[in-house]
Structures are given as structure tokens and as C-alpha cells.
């Protein structure tokens, strides 16, 4: 570790808060203000919004109960899934396919469809050599916008539920969806896309280029409309690469500056949503404490991964080659890492992408040291609540917050309260389901994949590391992350198992969160008393982090022992 | 049923805008403003495309600086990028590192007799993430400089100067890590040799 690397990490954190806070305040207005952009200079924006509601024939201003909101979320996602699957299967006969790629195989197309409608972006496909430009931009990139907007809409509805009292409704899906897309994601994507193009990210409809190398050989250079897609892939915590090696490929991420902006985009909206939550429910100090809890777990990840990778693996150290960091090299474990990122930026990305349910990578995870690779594995397993996916991260965190105030209530012997609402049996049941369903599914699916021949066939690195690959695959897909120990291969068995993981991993917590929002919206506010557990102080931060560690952390410990811990003890 | 119809209309409207209009406008903007970069940063010499500034290509001749190892098939395939994905305890990783190191020693030792395995920087023996990392570390370039100078009958100082000129520093002097762009360096060397 050196000062320069630490400096880059610190600047990152400072900018994340400096940009995230005002964005959060803006987002609170977007979701809360019925008259947003209907008067004054931006009247025309409001007119377009009404035009959209007319075009799809819905009343975007009619309030919905959580059940109605959840139903339309499911229907909308299902229709989009059918459409995406159709494009992938038919791309060979459709336009914008200059490299004449054939249809995507059915099990891969199904897995990819589930992957993109659930904001996972797990890649069993190889971007540049599987997907036509049409599939990339009209299929996958659209889902990058839409699946992100669905998550954001649901969060807005849940937060509204927390803020309201004695109400049955929590908002309107169509309006929340539209506003997430047009007022938040689109402007940010345009700005980021232009920045990325200026740094060298490709953006063209021309087919691949062919070069004659200096030694006279032919080289094929894959291109496409990438910058517009990468901007939203990062902002929407999607993560699916235009290229197979994702953000490690220079055409997606050409230098230190593009890397910095892409990294910032990974956590920007999830971090801003914490501040948005504080503003919408009128509990800014509480929001800062939630931010502090998230940030502590983030910082632990950086503090474990960076030294482990800089120290390198046993094999590298024994080989005798020079892995010492100096002004002439970043050193450390450079396997499946890029020179222009080195260790500090590879670590920062590894932690951010696994905390945020983003899943894009600028370095290979399979080749990381046992300790280094355990960091994203654990981050995923915590349920993507450390900033987490856009929308899904914070509503996932709400489950843990409910459990935390419940435990605090048990300790002092009082009915737990959160933000003035009494937390009763129904809320606790919902929170327990939301928090425990996905980790249970991860362990179950991993067990299925590890005891069946069909499951074992996907493993690339044999032995203990193969177990970690398997665990990571279902950890990542169930938590809708999408990063991988990428040696783990696609078979029709693993693709189907993954499809199940992604769909249930997305929609069970999503519906649980809506139910929670609906339940809290009905409640009255009880005034805080001397016995109320305060959720706006340091004690709450410690309790929340401890609850996350005890719930998900303990659940993964046995599996962690079989994988990274044993591997770390080998040799 | 009302939800289904609304969803179908929404899919059409949203795809038309975010799937076609948005990327088309972005591409149009890129082709005017950043046409070379948006087209893949291709390197043109005398009307012929010789590669991309952003993609490694195969160099085996002793007169050239060599790239980092690549995990793609064939190596440096800029049409199908991939990680190598060898785990930290995979026996193949140890074998790969050893054989890459031996090959480097065999290649460089005639020009650099005191060279040992401890002088080989790690990036020269392990694959990059993309398989087409266009850069090598400054340490890796320094290691290869004696060979290139000797084969080309150039003073070592000239080669070192070219390395310096073709080193991409950190962005804005701060972000990322410095690297030497191998294709640009080799092109600069060829230009020098042509004089």
C-alpha cells in the first residue's frame, strides 16, 4: 500500500458524498413533488410525462396500494422479459447485426433474460462475440435502464410508506418508473456517456475493425455502441459488460480517469438514495447513521482486500519474480489485472461492485488471493445492503434495520419503534423473510450444485477453489450482483439453476419490501419517549453492523470455511 | 389485463426511446466530436490500420517490446476478450509463471547477463484481465530495453527516452497507474529505424 493509492481511495469517498448528497435531495423532490416540472421553464417536461401516461393509457397520478403496485411491477417485468428473450433468440434474422452473429442459445438466452430484468447482469454470454448490436442496445441496455428504474421506483414507494401515516396507498408505479428513468437515470447517463467517449470508450455502429499488426498478422477488433450502454450499466448497478472481460477491457475503460468515473457511478445513486430517504421521511440524522453503517462495512472490505492482493498469493511469492511495489510497478497479485488500474483501483472496484450489486469488474475475481476473493464473496452474501443495488440496496437494509430495532426492543423490554412507527409482529415477519430468504437460497443452490454431477461440470479450477467458484456463482446470482469467479462455466443445468436464483432473489425481497411499506403506511405516529431506542446515534450504527454480521455473516461462515479459509491455509 | 396492455405499450415506447433514440444520438455526437476514439482509437500508418492504441497485439520478434501474457484464444484476440481465471492455488498457475519466467530469461539473458528471476516484474509473467492490456509496467519495459537497443543497434539511452515518451502517466497526474503503451512504443522505434 502506498500513499498514492490511499489518496485515490479517499478522493473517491469524498466525491461520493459531495455528489451523492445533493443528488439525494433532488431525488426526494422528484418522487415527492406531484407538480415536479409542471410549471415554469420546465413545463414542457411535465407535458411529455403526461404524454407518456396517455400513450400507455394509465393514470400516473392515481395512488396504488402495495398489492396493486407489486402486481403491476411483476406484470411489467414479465412482459419485458418476453420481449428481451424474443430479441436474443431472433437476433440472427434482425437488423443491426453487422458481424452476423447467430441466435443466442436457448438456455443462455433464458438465463440472460432473467439476468437483465432482475438487474443482475450475470454473464453466461460473451458480450462482443454473442450479442448483436441490436441485442446490446435495444435489449440489454434498455433493461439496464428499466430494471434499475423498477428498483428505484419500489424504493420510492417503500420510503413513502414509511413517511405516511394512516394511509393505504404508497404511490403510483408508472409515475415512479417514468420519473426514475427520465429525471434521474437519463441525464446522468448522458453526462457519463460523453465523459467516457472523451476518454476513448467506443461508440459506433460500424462492424469490427481489422488491423494488420506490426508483425504482419491480422487482428480483429470488436467495436459497437458501448459508451451509451456502459454509462447506464454503471449508474444502474447493472454491470453487464459490452465485452466479455467487462470493464477490464480498454474499449470499455481506457484509463485511470474513465475508471474513476465508472467507479463513482457504481455507488452514486445507491449512496444518494440514503440521503433521499432521510429527506423524504424527515430523519436526516438517522440517514447519516445508516450511511455510516454502510460505509464501515465498505471500508472493512477495502482494508482486507488491498493488503491481501498487494501481498500476493503464495504461488507468486514462491515463484521468485518481483512483486514488490515501486515507482516502476504496482506489484502484488497482477494475475487477471490491468496495468493502468494496478492494485488500489482494482481493490476499490472489487469492493464497490460487490457492495453495490453492480457486478461489473475491472479485474478477474477467480485469480484473486483466497483472502482477497473472500471479500466480494462475503459482501454479496450480506444481501447487497452496503449501498447495494439502486433501490434494492436500501430496501434490503430496511429489513436489517427492523431486525436491529426489534433486538434493541427485546433488550429493553419495549415494543420496538422505528421513525415513530410501532414495529409489530407483521413487520418483523416480513423483515425476517426479506433478510433470510436469499442467504438460505444461496446455500441451498450451492449445495445442489456441489453434490450433483451436472453441477460439478461447471467448475473450472478443481479442488477447494472450485467450491468457492460454485458458491460465488449462486451467491452472485441470488443477490442480483452479476460478478463472477468467471471460470465457472455455463451448462444448461447451471444456467437453469441460476435463472431460478435470480428471479426469486429479485422478486421475493422486492415484494417483501413493498409489503413492509404498505404495512408501515397504515400506522399512526407514536411520539418518542425516554424509553425509545434512538436510531440517530452511534449506538445504532454499531448495533446495525453487528446485526448484519450476526445474521448473514454467521450464515456464510461454514461455507467460507470450506472455501477461501481452507484455500488460504493450503501450501 | 389493463396492466398487460399498459406494459406492452410501455415496452414499445421505452425501447424506442432508450434502445434506439438514446444510443443513436450518442453515437451521432461521438462521430462528430470524438470520431477516432469512438471508432476504437485505431492506429493508422500510410492508410493502413496497424492496430488500436487500446489493444495489445502479438509481438514475438526480438526487435520489438513484448506485451504481457494473454489468456484469450488465440492470444491478444481483441474480438473475444477473457480472463484466464486460474485460481491462486491452481497448480497450472505455478507452471505458467515458471515457464513464462524461463522464456523471458532465455530471451533477455544474452543482452543482460546478470539477469535473474528476481528482476522479472510480476506483470511480465501473469495474464492481464482483458487479455489485451495495451500496457506493460515501466519495470517490464526497462527489463526489455537492453535487448531492443542491442538488436536495433541503438544507444540504450535512446530506447529509454522513447520508453519515457510512450509512458502514459496517471490520468490528470493522479488517477490510475502509469503504463507503457507497447504498440505506440514499437511504432516509435520503427519510425526511428526508418530514418
Amino acid at each position: 500500500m502506498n500513499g498514492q493509492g490511499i489518496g485515490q481511495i479517499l478522493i473517491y469517498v469524498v466525491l461520493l458524498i459531495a455528489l451523492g448528497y445533493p443528488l439525494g435531495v433532488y431525488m426526494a423532490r422528484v418522487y415527492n413533488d406531484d407538480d415536479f416540472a409542471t410549471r415554469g421553464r420546465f413545463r414542457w417536461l411535465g407535458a411529455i410525462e403526461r404524454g407518456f401516461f396517455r400513450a400507455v393509457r394509465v393514470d400516473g397520478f392515481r395512488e396504488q396500494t402495495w398489492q396493486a403496485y407489486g402486481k403491476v411491477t411483476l406484470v411489467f417485468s414479465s412482459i419485458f422479459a418476453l420481449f428481451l428473450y424474443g430479441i436474443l433468440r431472433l437476433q440472427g434474422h434482425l437488423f443491426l447485426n453487422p458481424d452476423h452473429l447467430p441466435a443466442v442459445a436457448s438456455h443462455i438466452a433464458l438465463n440472460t433474460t432473467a439476468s437483465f430484468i432482475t438487474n443482475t447482469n450475470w454473464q453466461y454470454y460473451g458480450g462482443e462475440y454473442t450479442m448483436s448490436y441490436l441485442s446490446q442496445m435495444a435489449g440489454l441496455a434498455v433493461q439496464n435502464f428499466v430494471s434499475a428504474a423498477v428498483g428505484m421506483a419500489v424504493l420510492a414507494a417503500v420510503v413513502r410508506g414509511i413517511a405516511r401515516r394512516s394511509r393505504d396507498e404508497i404511490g403510483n408505479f408508472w409515475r415512479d418508473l417514468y420519473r426514475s428513468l427520465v429525471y434521474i437515470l437519463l441525464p446522468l447517463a448522458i453526462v457519463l456517456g460523453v465523459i467516457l467517449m472523451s476518454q476513448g470508450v467506443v461508440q459506433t455502429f460500424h462492424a469490427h475493425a481489422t488491423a494488420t499488426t506490426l508483425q504482419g498478422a491480422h487482428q480483429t477488433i470488436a467495436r459497437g455502441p458501448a459508451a451509451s450502454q456502459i454509462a447506464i450499466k454503471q449508474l444502474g448497478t447493472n454491470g453487464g459488460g459490452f465485452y466479455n472481460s467487462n470493464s477490464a477491457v480498454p474499449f470499455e475503460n481506457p484509463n485511470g480517469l474513465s475508471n474513476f468515473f465508472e467507479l463513482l457511478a457504481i455507488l452514486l445513486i445507491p449512496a444518494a438514495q440514503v440521503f433521499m430517504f432521510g429527506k423524504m421521511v424527515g430523519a436526516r440524522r438517522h440517514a447519516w447513521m445508516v450511511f455510516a453503517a454502510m460505509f464501515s462495512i465498505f471500508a472493512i472490505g477495502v482494508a482486507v482486500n488491498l493488503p491481501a492482493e498487494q501481498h500476493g498469493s503464495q504461488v507468486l511469492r514462491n515463484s521468485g519474480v518481483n512483486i514488490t511495489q515501486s515507482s516502476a510497478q504496482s506489484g502484488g497479485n497482477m494475475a487477471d489485472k490491468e496495468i493502468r488500474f494496478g492494485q488500489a483501483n482494482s481493490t476499490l472496484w472489487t469492493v464497490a461492485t460487490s457492495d453495490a450489486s453492480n457486478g461489473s469488474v475491472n479485474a478477474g475475481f477467480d485469480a484473486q488471493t483466497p483472502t482477497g476473493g473472500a471479500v466480494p464473496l462475503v459482501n454479496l452474501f450480506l444481501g447487497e445492503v452496503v449501498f447495494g443495488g439502486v433501490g434494492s440496496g436500501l430496501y434490503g437494509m430496511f429489513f436489517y434495520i427492523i431486525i436491529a430495532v426489534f433486538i434493541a426492543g427485546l433488550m429493553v423490554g419495549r415494543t420496538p419503534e422505528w421513525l415513530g412507527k410501532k414495529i409489530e409482529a407483521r413487520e418483523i415477519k416480513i423483515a425476517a423473510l426479506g433478510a433470510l430468504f436469499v442467504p438460505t437460497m444461496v446455500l441451498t443452490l450451492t449445495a445442489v450444485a456441489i453434490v450433483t454431477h451436472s453441477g460439478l461440470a461447471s467448475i473450472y479450477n478443481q479442488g477447494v477453489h472450485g467450491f468457492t467458484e460454485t458458491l460465488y456463482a449462486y451467491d452472485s446470482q441470488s443477490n442480483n450482483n452479476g460478478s463472477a469467479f468467471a471460470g465457472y462455466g455455463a451448462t444448461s443445468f447451471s444456467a437453469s439453476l441460476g435463472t431460478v436464483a435470480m428471479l426469486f432473489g429479485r422478486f421475493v425481497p422486492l415484494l417483501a419490501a413493498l409489503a413492509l411499506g404498505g404495512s408501515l403506511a397504515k400506522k399512526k405516529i407514536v411520539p418518542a419517549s425516554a424509553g425509545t431506542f434512538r436510531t440517530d446515534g452511534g449506538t445504532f450504527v454499531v448495533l446495525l453492523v453487528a446485526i448484519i454480521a450476526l445474521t448473514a455473516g454467521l450464515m456464510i461462515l461454514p461455507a467460507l470455511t470450506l472455501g477461501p479459509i481452507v484455500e488460504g491455509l493450503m501450501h | 389485463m389493463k396492466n398487460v396492455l399498459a406494459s406492452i405499450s410501455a415496452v414499445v415506447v421505452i425501447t424506442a426511446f432508450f434502445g434506439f433514440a438514446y444510443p443513436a444520438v450518442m453515437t451521432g455526437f461521438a462521430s462528430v466530436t470524438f470520431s477516432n476514439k469512438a471508432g476504437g482509437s485505431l492506429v493508422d500508418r500510410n492508410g493502413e490500420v496497424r492496430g488500436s492504441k487500446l489493444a495489445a497485439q502479438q509481438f514475438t520478434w526480438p526487435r520489438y517490446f513484448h506485451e504481457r501474457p494473454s489468456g484469450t484464444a488465440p492470444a491478444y484476440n481483441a474480438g473475444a476478450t477473457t480472463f484466464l481465471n486460474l485460481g491462486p492455488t491452481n497448480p497450472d498457475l505455478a507452471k505458467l509463471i515458471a515457464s513464462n519466467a524461463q522464456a523471458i530469461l532465455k530471451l533477455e539473458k544474452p543482452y543482460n547477463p546478470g539477469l535473474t528471476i528476481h528482476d522479472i516484474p510480476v506483470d511480465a509473467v501473469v495474464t492481464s484481465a482483458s487479455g489485451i492490456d495495451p500496457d506493460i509496467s515501466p519495470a517490464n519495459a526497462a527489463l526489455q530495453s537492453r535487448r531492443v537497443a542491442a538488436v536495433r543497434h541503438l544507444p540504450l539511452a535512446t530506447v529509454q527516452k522513447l520508453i519515457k515518451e510512450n509512458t502514459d502517466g496517471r490520468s490528470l497526474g493522479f488517477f490510475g497507474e502509469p503504463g507503457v503503451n507497447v504498440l505506440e512504443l514499437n511504432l516509435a522505434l520503427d519510425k526511428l529505424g526508418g530514418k
Side-chain angles (χ1 to χ4, degrees):
Chain A
M1 275 191 279
N2 64 348
Q4 220 283 336
I6 305 285
Q8 294 190 41
I9 294 171
L10 286 180
I11 287 278
Y12 176 76
V13 173
V14 169
L15 265 179
L16 183 66
I17 296 175
L19 295 175
Y21 191 86
L23 179 64
V25 172
Y26 166 76
M27 283 160 62
R29 250 196 83 194
V30 167
Y31 291 118
N32 255 356
D33 185 358
D34 279 355
D35 296 329
F36 186 78
T38 51
R39 291 193 205 99
R41 262 187 308 158
F42 296 105
R43 264 195 326 271
W44 54 278
L45 281 173
I48 298 175
E49 183 181 46
R50 288 190 298 277
F52 173 79
F53 295 146
R54 267 198 304 279
V56 303
R57 288 186 215 91
V58 294
D59 179 356
F61 290 85
R62 202 188 59 204
E63 290 279 333
Q64 296 170 314
T65 60
W66 79 264
Q67 290 96 335
Y69 202 108
K71 210 159 97 184
V72 61
T73 307
L74 290 184
V75 171
F76 176 73
S77 298
S78 312
I79 300 282
F80 239 132
L82 288 175
F83 177 75
L84 176 58
Y85 184 79
I87 293 187
L88 299 180
R89 294 292 288 153
L90 295 173
Q91 68 170 18
H93 304 288
L94 295 171
F95 51 102
L96 275 171
N97 185 12
D99 290 318
H100 307 291
L101 295 166
V104 180
S106 61
H107 65 284
I108 301 291
L110 192 63
N111 183 279
T112 305
T113 300
S115 169
F116 276 73
I117 65 155
T118 58
N119 199 254
T120 307
N121 293 25
W122 176 266
Q123 284 179 261
Y124 268 145
Y125 63 94
E128 70 272 37
Y129 52 89
T130 315
M131 297 292 172
S132 73
Y133 293 175
L134 181 76
S135 294
Q136 294 265 25
M137 60 183 239
L140 304 183
V142 170
Q143 275 314 312
N144 284 352
F145 275 104
V146 171
S147 65
V150 167
M152 293 164 73
V154 168
L155 176 70
V158 176
V159 172
R160 234 179 251 127
I162 298 168
R164 287 177 175 178
R165 55 193 82 172
S166 314
R167 285 278 296 274
D168 283 327
E169 302 87 10
I170 55 172
N172 180 286
F173 170 77
W174 294 105
R175 191 175 53 174
D176 289 340
L177 177 82
Y178 180 89
R179 292 191 166 185
S180 307
L181 281 172
V182 176
Y183 296 147
I184 299 166
L185 292 172
L186 181 64
L188 288 173
I190 292 174
V191 171
L192 182 62
V194 170
I195 292 175
L196 294 182
M197 287 172 196
S198 76
Q199 297 304 306
V201 177
V202 295
Q203 178 74 26
T204 177
F205 290 131
H206 291 297
H208 70 263
T210 309
T212 311
T213 68
L214 300 198
Q215 293 192 175
H218 283 281
Q219 187 184 31
T220 301
I221 297 166
R223 304 187 287 183
S228 55
Q229 182 168 341
I230 289 155
I232 188 60
K233 127 185 169 183
Q234 301 300 66
L235 286 164
T237 57
N238 294 284
F242 195 91
Y243 291 85
N244 185 48
S245 284
N246 211 289
S247 292
V249 177
F251 297 112
E252 277 201 23
N253 190 1
N255 58 39
L257 197 63
S258 64
N259 188 70
F260 185 78
F261 278 105
E262 289 186 32
L263 255 174
L264 203 54
I266 292 179
L267 287 187
L268 179 63
I269 295 179
Q273 282 172 326
V274 180
F275 301 119
M276 176 194 90
F277 158 65
K279 178 98 182 149
M280 282 173 78
V281 300
R284 285 188 211 181
R285 276 185 60 92
H286 173 57
W288 274 108
M289 294 307 130
V290 173
F291 190 92
M294 290 174 166
F295 184 76
S296 325
I297 300 175
F298 174 85
I300 293 169
V302 173
V304 173
N305 183 278
L306 185 53
E309 290 303 298
Q310 193 70 64
H311 189 56
S313 62
Q314 192 80 39
V315 167
L316 266 176
R317 286 197 303 278
N318 290 348
S319 72
V321 301
N322 180 1
I323 62 168
T324 310
Q325 185 182 39
S326 69
S327 61
Q329 70 162 353
S330 180
N333 177 18
M334 282 301 288
D336 287 2
K337 291 205 178 103
E338 301 277 298
I339 294 288
R340 62 195 181 286
F341 307 140
Q343 297 303 345
N345 280 290
S346 298
T347 286
L348 195 52
W349 192 297
T350 300
V351 176
T353 197
S354 55
D355 276 338
S357 159
N358 181 290
S360 65
V361 292
N362 73 350
F365 286 180
D366 228 343
Q368 293 207 4
T369 60
T371 312
V375 169
L377 185 68
V378 172
N379 279 343
L380 303 185
F381 201 83
L382 300 182
E384 303 293 23
V385 295
V386 180
F387 302 109
V390 286
S392 58
L394 190 55
Y395 70 61
M397 189 55 126
F398 291 161
F399 301 138
Y400 282 117
I401 294 176
I402 299 264
I403 295 174
V405 295
F406 170 58
I407 304 272
L410 285 182
M411 289 194 280
V412 297
R414 272 180 56 105
T415 311
E417 292 162 26
W418 178 40
L419 298 168
K421 303 266 174 97
K422 271 199 160 53
I423 301 300
E424 291 162 299
R426 180 177 156 83
E427 289 78 46
I428 291 160
K429 280 182 202 156
I430 295 171
L433 173 76
L436 298 179
F437 175 80
V438 174
T440 310
M441 182 168 70
V442 173
L443 297 177
T444 311
L445 293 178
T446 304
V448 170
I450 214 73
V451 298
T452 50
H453 286 292
S454 319
L456 292 172
S458 285
I459 288 176
Y460 176 67
N461 287 284
Q462 295 305 316
V464 178
H465 197 77
F467 173 78
T468 311
E469 274 181 6
T470 308
L471 176 62
Y472 199 97
Y474 298 101
D475 196 6
S476 174
Q477 292 179 93
S478 305
N479 282 293
N480 296 157
N481 181 280
S483 64
F485 273 41
Y488 196 77
T491 61
S492 58
F493 181 79
S494 67
S496 312
L497 218 52
T499 302
V500 170
M502 291 186 283
L503 292 175
F504 283 92
R506 169 74 163 183
F507 291 107
V508 171
L510 184 148
L511 291 174
L514 280 174
L516 183 67
S519 183
L520 289 173
K522 286 191 181 64
K523 289 178 187 279
K524 292 192 198 61
I525 299 279
V526 286
S529 68
T532 304
F533 175 65
R534 292 178 65 98
T535 54
D536 59 357
T539 318
F540 171 72
V541 178
V542 175
L543 181 69
L544 184 56
V545 172
I547 291 297
I548 295 170
L550 287 175
T551 323
L554 280 187
M555 273 180 93
I556 196 176
L557 192 61
L560 209 57
T561 314
L562 291 176
I565 294 179
V566 168
E567 194 178 18
L569 295 174
M570 283 165 66
H571 294 274
Chain B
M1 196 59 205
K2 194 173 176 299
N3 282 340
V4 174
L5 291 176
S7 297
I8 291 172
S9 321
V11 166
V12 173
V13 175
I14 291 172
T15 302
F17 186 82
F18 290 92
F20 291 98
Y22 162 72
V25 169
M26 294 290 271
T27 307
F29 179 78
S31 66
V32 179
T33 333
F34 311 109
S35 71
N36 175 269
K37 284 177 172 169
S41 304
L42 300 180
V43 178
D44 214 282
R45 286 291 180 276
N46 309 319
E48 197 179 11
V49 178
R50 305 308 304 267
S52 163
K53 183 183 174 321
L54 295 182
Q57 54 178 253
Q58 180 104 48
F59 289 109
T60 51
W61 298 348
R63 49 182 304 170
Y64 284 129
F65 280 86
H66 295 180
E67 305 271 9
R68 298 181 58 192
S70 165
T72 65
Y76 313 107
N77 185 347
T81 57
T82 183
F83 313 106
L84 186 62
N85 289 324
L86 283 182
T89 50
N90 193 319
D92 290 344
L93 179 66
K95 282 185 214 148
L96 181 79
I97 292 172
S99 78
N100 284 341
Q102 285 314 311
I104 289 169
L105 287 175
K106 194 173 159 215
L107 179 69
E108 306 292 351
K109 259 205 152 157
Y111 313 98
N112 194 352
L115 194 73
T116 70
I117 192 165
H118 305 301
D119 301 316
I120 299 178
V122 59
D123 69 289
V125 297
V126 291
T127 56
S128 63
S130 60
I132 54 167
D133 189 344
D135 297 329
I136 55 178
S137 68
N140 188 351
L143 171 80
Q144 300 185 44
S145 61
R146 285 165 187 267
R147 162 174 53 84
V148 173
V151 172
R152 289 183 178 254
H153 305 293
L154 288 170
L156 184 59
T158 309
V159 175
Q160 284 168 339
K161 187 164 154 277
L162 280 182
I163 292 177
K164 218 168 169 192
E165 285 168 9
N166 288 285
T167 301
D168 295 317
R170 297 186 164 99
S171 300
L172 307 179
F174 192 73
F175 298 109
E177 301 293 332
V180 182
N181 190 298
V182 177
L183 176 61
E184 291 193 318
L185 176 58
N186 285 335
L187 279 166
L189 281 164
D190 277 356
K191 199 170 158 200
L192 207 66
K195 266 181 203 163

